[in-house]
């Protein structure tokens, strides 16, 4: 936020108070209204509603008025700021008479008199007068970053800053003047401005060259298009004034729409601090109430079991929503992959296809970028990889380089034409869609893989408790993350900046891949040496979810180490969680108990029933809807 005038000269700071004293004695108001005292209050010298002239006050009344003036509270600096902010907002709404009365009664000025003249002349296009006003404002300019010596601004620094700001503002004024002359067809006058006024400023010569090119525009529409300019009139002049205001101290002229800016900042801050805010941010103020603090209920958060999928007949090791959020794939020890259809309207899931034949079970799944294909990997002793066409249910590729391989992890290249795969026995391959080997990296014992958005870098966690970046194009690698315990799995945020690690005996860690620092350790989860997969989720990926060996699903806000929700219902270890990338209120969890639970917001229950659920799990009668084939 701007300082609202903090650090200005004493004379500038006192102009509201000085005006308050002058207005209370019946002097001329800054907005041009005459005022007279009446029972200690300043009122306009207009006729009353009855058309009867106001009578002079008696001696007693006058004495009371004088006493009232003396007792009138002097406004604090913050109170003056609030009045000015309200006044500016009312002025933007066109309620000018209300502004005049507010300023008159409070004794404040909305802005410095020279600034008022400057504003009017700019909006009227009276450029010579606006330049004269700018000369008056020159003495009131200085930058908040000016050097301070012994509590006062260095004089030479202040002078240099004033000159620089004055030059910038004059350049903007003359640029508007030049463009308006061109639009009006006054080419000679425009050329005179360019040569005799803009060029001598010796400021932004590159821009002057661009402006000179506009002389070749054949008509006004061509000029507006090339200059990306709204044309002569209120729109372009208002935009100009907004720019000019940024160079003036707020005590002289308030920044444009300052009250709306402060309110938006307050609303955004409340949303950021809201632990359960999981909807798309709307920067406008019309979508919220300013009369209440922002607070999202836990009942709007995916803490309630909406559906239990029981089609698998053994432990479910992995689950993953498709990139478009319309499908969910689940892999199980029962050797099958089940693809579920997600109804976007009802957020219910139905069995779509069952993909069979994975002899060792399915412990990892990866959707292609376009969701057309799905790759399935098995556990440590599995040397095969399956690439399925999701739409047809046909197996496109079954890849196995050697029976001694261990292909337990896979990641798609962003181009959707290649993928990398590997395992803990030292295999690390890059392959095409037909399983043909394109490149290999020897001796890397891979635990988990991820391809970054640049299409070149592959991240791989290995048995040395680290994540390294590998470039298959120039065959270079570098260390990015180093942990003290084995990294069982990891995932990366959509922007590629953050990595979420499940670390053996330690839990869930958040790393910044760019700065290569540990950002946060999340508490609560029970993590031994089982492979548990966590995920980012919610709008803007503000939330983190993870399974746990204590049979729970844990959810944290990304900025908070303590969980905001612990979801109960599973009866054995929760191996994997997946947050729907399109429906932020939909979360899936896969468990050794053989089920997949779908979590969503609270159902339509009365308040007492909802409170009885303690904001968490639903009754079995509400949650045992099964997926149907």
């Amino acid at each position: 936020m701007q300082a609202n005038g903090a650090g200005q000269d004493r004379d500038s700071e006192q102009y509201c108070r000085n005006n308050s004293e002058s207005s209370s004695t019946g002097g001329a108001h800054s907005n041009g209204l005459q005022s007279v005292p009446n029972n200690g209050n300043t009122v306009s010298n207009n006729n009353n509603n009855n058309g009867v002239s106001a009578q002079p006050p008696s001696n007693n009344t006058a004495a009371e008025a004088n006493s009232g003036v003396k007792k009138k509270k002097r406004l604090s600096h913050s109170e003056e700021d609030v009045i000015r902010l309200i006044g500016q907002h009312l002025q933007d709404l066109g309620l000018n008479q209300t502004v005049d009365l507010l300023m008159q009664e409070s004794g404040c000025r909305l802005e410095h008199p020279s600034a008022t003249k400057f504003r009017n002349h700019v909006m009227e296009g009276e450029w010579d007068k606006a330049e004269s006003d700018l000369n008056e404002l020159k003495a009131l300019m200085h930058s908040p970053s000016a050097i301070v010596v012994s509590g006062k601004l260095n004089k030479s620094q202040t002078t240099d800053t004033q000159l620089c700001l004055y030059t910038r503002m004059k350049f903007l004024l003359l640029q508007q003047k030049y463009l308006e002359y061109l639009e009006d067809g006054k080419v000679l006058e425009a050329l005179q401005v360019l040569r005799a006024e803009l060029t001598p400023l010796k400021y932004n010569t590159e821009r002057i060259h661009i402006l000179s090119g506009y002389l070749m525009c054949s008509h006004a529409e061509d000029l507006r298009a090339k200059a990306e300019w709204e044309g002569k009139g209120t729109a372009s002049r208002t935009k100009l004034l907004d720019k000019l205001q940024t160079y003036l101290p707020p005590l002289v002229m308030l920044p444009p729409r300052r009250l709306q800016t402060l309110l938006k900042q307050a609303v955004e801050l409340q949303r950021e601090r809201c632990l359960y805010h999981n909807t798309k941010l709307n920067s406008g103020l019309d979508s919220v109430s300013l009369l209440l603090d922002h607070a999202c209920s836990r009942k709007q958060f995916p803490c309630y079991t909406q559906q239990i999928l029981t089609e698998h007949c053994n432990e479910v090791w992995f689950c993953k929503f498709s990139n478009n959020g319309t499908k969910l794939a689940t892999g199980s020890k029962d050797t099958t992959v089940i693809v579920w259809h997600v109804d976007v309207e009802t957020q219910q899931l139905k069995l779509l296809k069952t993909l069979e034949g994975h002899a060792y079970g399915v412990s990892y799944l990866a959707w292609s970028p376009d969701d057309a294909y799905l790759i399935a990997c098995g556990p440590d002793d599995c040397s095969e990889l399956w690439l399925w066409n999701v739409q047809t249910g046909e197996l496109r590729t079954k890849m196995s380089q050697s029976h001694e391989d261990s292909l337990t992890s896979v990641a798609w290249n962003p181009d959707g034409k290649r993928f990398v795969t590997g395992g803990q026995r030292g295999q690390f391959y890059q392959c095409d869609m037909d399983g043909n080997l394109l490149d290999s990296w020897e001796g890397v014992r891979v635990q988990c893989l991820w391809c970054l958005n640049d299409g070149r870098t592959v991240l791989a966690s290995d048995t040395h408790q680290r994540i390294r970046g590998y470039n298959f194009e120039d065959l270079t690698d570098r260390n990015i993350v180093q942990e003290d315990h084995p990294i069982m799995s990891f995932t990366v945020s959509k922007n590629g900046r953050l990595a979420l690690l499940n670390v053996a005996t330690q839990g869930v860690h958040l790393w910044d891949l760019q700065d290569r620092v540990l950002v946060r350790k999340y508490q609560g989860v029970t993590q031994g040496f089982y492979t548990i997969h966590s995920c980012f989720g919610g709008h803007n990926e503000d939330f983190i979810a993870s399974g746990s060996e204590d049979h729970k699903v844990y959810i944290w806000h990304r900025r908070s180490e303590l969980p905001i929700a612990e979801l109960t219902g599973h009866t054995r270890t929760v191996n994997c969680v997946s947050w729907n990338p399109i429906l932020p209120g939909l979360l899936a969890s896969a468990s050794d108990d053989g089920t997949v639970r779908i979590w969503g917001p609270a159902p339509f229950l009365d308040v007492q029933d909802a409170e009885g659920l303690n904001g968490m799990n639903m009754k079995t009668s509400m949650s045992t809807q099964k997926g149907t084939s």
Side-chain angles (χ1 to χ4, degrees):
M1 294 184 185
Q2 297 191 31
N4 282 335
Q8 306 300 329
D9 296 338
R10 295 286 296 176
D11 292 342
S12 296
E13 290 184 352
Q14 294 298 324
Y15 80 85
C16 276
R17 294 189 175 91
N18 292 340
N19 188 65
S20 176
E21 293 166 4
S22 64
S23 65
S24 64
T25 57
H29 189 267
S30 62
N31 293 334
L33 292 177
Q34 287 284 359
S35 58
V36 295
N38 181 19
N39 293 333
N41 296 319
T42 308
V43 297
S44 176
N45 191 22
N46 297 329
N47 291 337
N48 58 25
N49 294 335
N50 296 327
V52 181
S53 300
Q55 299 297 322
S58 65
N59 292 337
N60 291 338
T61 305
E64 292 172 0
N66 290 333
S67 175
V69 170
K70 291 179 181 178
K71 293 180 180 179
K72 186 175 181 180
K73 177 185 176 183
R74 172 170 285 186
L75 298 176
S76 67
H77 188 76
S78 61
E79 289 171 334
E80 291 174 358
D81 288 345
V82 171
I83 289 173
R84 293 182 65 210
L85 291 171
I86 294 172
Q88 183 194 46
H89 183 64
L90 294 174
Q91 188 179 67
D92 291 342
L93 295 176
L95 304 176
N96 295 320
Q97 292 183 359
T98 305
V99 176
D100 289 338
L101 291 174
L102 175 62
M103 295 300 119
Q104 180 177 320
E105 186 171 359
S106 65
C108 289
R109 284 195 183 109
L110 186 58
E111 56 192 11
H112 194 281
S114 297
T116 302
K117 289 193 300 178
F118 181 63
R119 177 193 300 277
N120 293 336
H121 290 149
V122 168
M123 294 305 296
E124 292 165 7
E126 298 183 14
W127 305 116
D128 293 338
K129 292 181 179 179
E131 283 187 58
S132 177
D133 300 332
L134 188 57
N135 287 325
E136 294 181 24
L137 292 170
K138 184 176 180 181
L140 300 173
M141 299 178 193
H142 73 70
S143 170
S145 60
I147 296 175
V148 177
V149 180
S150 300
K152 295 184 179 180
L153 291 171
N154 179 283
K155 187 174 181 180
S156 61
Q157 177 72 17
T158 303
T159 303
D160 292 342
T161 302
Q162 288 172 345
L163 181 60
C164 180
L165 296 178
Y166 172 79
T167 303
R168 292 180 189 175
M169 294 182 72
K170 188 171 182 179
F171 184 89
L172 292 172
L173 276 178
L174 294 175
Q175 177 179 252
Q176 179 79 9
K177 179 180 179 180
Y178 168 77
L179 291 172
E180 291 195 8
Y181 275 148
L182 279 182
E183 187 181 48
D184 290 341
K186 301 177 180 179
V187 180
L188 292 178
E189 289 87 341
L191 189 59
Q192 178 66 16
V193 172
L194 188 66
R195 290 177 175 176
E197 298 184 70
L198 277 167
T199 303
L201 289 177
K202 297 180 180 179
Y203 175 79
N204 202 349
T205 53
E206 182 179 350
R207 178 62 178 168
I208 289 178
H209 289 316
I210 295 174
L211 291 174
S212 64
Y214 298 153
L215 289 166
M216 306 302 295
C217 293
S218 57
H219 49 78
E221 290 77 7
D222 187 27
L223 171 66
R224 288 193 290 268
K226 289 184 177 179
E228 297 180 351
W229 178 60
E230 293 82 356
K232 178 180 178 180
T234 302
S236 64
R237 291 171 182 173
T238 300
K239 192 172 180 179
L240 168 65
L241 197 59
D242 287 349
K243 291 181 181 179
L244 293 170
Q245 284 179 276
T246 62
Y247 296 108
L248 292 171
L251 271 179
V252 176
M253 181 183 282
L254 283 172
R257 295 169 292 280
R258 183 60 181 160
L259 181 60
Q260 291 97 316
T261 299
L262 291 173
L263 291 174
K264 285 181 181 179
Q265 290 173 352
V267 170
E268 289 171 3
L269 182 61
Q270 288 187 21
R271 283 173 171 170
E272 288 176 4
R273 291 181 175 178
C274 177
L275 291 177
Y276 299 104
H277 188 80
N278 192 30
T279 56
K280 188 175 181 179
L281 293 176
N282 188 332
S283 58
L285 294 176
D286 293 337
S287 61
V288 298
S289 171
L290 299 178
L291 306 181
L292 296 170
D293 287 343
H294 174 84
C296 292
S297 169
R298 186 186 301 197
K299 296 170 189 155
Q300 301 168 312
F301 205 67
C303 294
Y304 299 80
T305 303
Q306 289 190 338
Q307 204 172 350
I308 301 178
L309 310 178
T310 59
E311 264 59 29
H312 285 294
C313 57
N314 210 324
E315 298 172 0
V316 186
W317 289 339
F318 201 83
C319 63
K320 185 70 174 178
F321 280 107
S322 59
N323 299 294
N324 62 14
T326 63
K327 297 179 181 67
L328 174 72
T330 57
S332 170
K333 187 179 179 179
D334 66 6
T335 74
T336 68
V337 172
I338 297 180
V339 179
W340 309 84
H341 172 71
V342 180
D343 189 312
V344 178
E345 297 297 327
T346 64
Q347 299 191 11
Q348 291 290 302
L349 278 70
K350 292 184 178 180
L351 193 149
L352 185 64
K353 284 183 174 64
T354 299
L355 311 176
E356 301 177 338
H358 310 87
Y360 295 89
V362 179
S363 61
Y364 198 86
L365 296 164
W367 290 91
S368 63
D370 61 0
D371 294 326
Y373 295 96
L374 183 69
I375 295 179
C377 296
D380 290 343
D381 50 355
C382 180
S383 62
E384 297 175 325
L385 174 150
W386 294 262
L387 194 157
W388 295 91
N389 183 316
V390 178
Q391 184 173 0
T392 64
E394 297 176 353
L395 180 64
R396 169 165 177 168
T397 303
K398 183 178 180 181
M399 171 188 157
S400 178
Q401 294 294 322
S402 168
H403 292 295
E404 297 180 356
D405 283 355
S406 173
L407 304 182
T408 58
S409 185
V410 67
W412 285 89
N413 188 285
D415 64 12
K417 299 176 182 179
R418 296 170 289 162
F419 61 87
V420 291
T421 183
Q424 291 195 16
R425 296 179 184 174
Q427 297 78 38
F428 189 11
Y429 304 134
Q430 180 171 223
C431 308
D432 63 15
M433 295 281 289
D434 296 319
N436 299 315
L437 189 63
L438 302 177
D439 298 287
S440 66
W441 211 294
E442 297 297 330
V444 181
R445 298 181 181 273
V446 173
Q447 178 71 25
C448 193
L449 292 167
W450 193 274
C451 289
L452 293 184
N453 296 329
D454 62 10
R456 300 185 303 272
T457 307
V458 178
L459 301 183
S461 62
D462 56 32
T463 53
H464 296 286
Q465 305 167 5
R466 64 189 181 182
I467 295 177
R468 292 179 66 80
Y470 297 87
N471 189 318
F472 275 96
E473 293 183 2
D474 57 18
L475 299 180
T476 59
D477 61 314
R478 58 194 175 95
N479 204 48
I480 297 177
V481 169
Q482 182 66 60
E483 283 279 1
D484 296 327
H485 297 80
I487 301 171
M488 307 307 294
S489 69
F490 75 93
T491 186
V492 178
S493 61
K494 290 180 181 178
N495 61 13
R497 178 69 184 264
L498 300 174
L500 195 61
L501 284 61
N502 282 75
V503 184
T505 72
Q506 302 300 302
V508 181
H509 292 180
L510 182 68
W511 279 79
D512 186 314
L513 296 177
Q514 182 174 314
D515 296 338
R516 303 185 192 180
V517 295
L518 177 62
V519 177
R520 195 159 288 113
K521 296 181 179 181
Y522 297 100
Q523 302 178 21
V525 66
T526 302
Q527 169 81 62
F529 288 91
Y530 287 111
T531 299
I532 292 177
H533 299 273
S534 55
C535 69
F536 294 95
H539 269 298
N540 200 35
E541 295 191 322
D542 283 334
F543 301 97
I544 286 167
S546 178
S548 177
E549 292 180 21
D550 63 3
H551 315 165
K552 297 179 182 179
V553 174
Y554 286 84
I555 301 178
W556 300 266
H557 195 286
R558 203 169 67 191
R559 296 190 303 271
S560 176
E561 295 181 357
L562 297 176
I564 62 173
E566 299 177 17
L567 312 186
T568 60
H570 285 294
T571 58
R572 293 182 64 188
T573 296
V574 180
N575 298 306
C576 183
V577 291
S578 180
W579 212 305
N580 191 296
I582 305 301
L583 304 172
L586 205 61
L587 178 71
S589 60
S591 170
D592 281 346
D593 64 11
T595 68
V596 176
R597 283 184 176 248
I598 306 301
W599 308 86
F604 293 103
L605 300 175
D606 59 62
V607 176
Q608 290 183 349
D609 288 342
E611 292 297 333
L613 296 175
N614 195 27
M616 293 296 176
N617 195 23
M618 291 173 54
K619 298 293 185 182
T620 304
S621 60
M622 297 293 294
S623 62
T624 54
Q625 302 178 44
K626 298 181 180 180
T628 56
S629 56

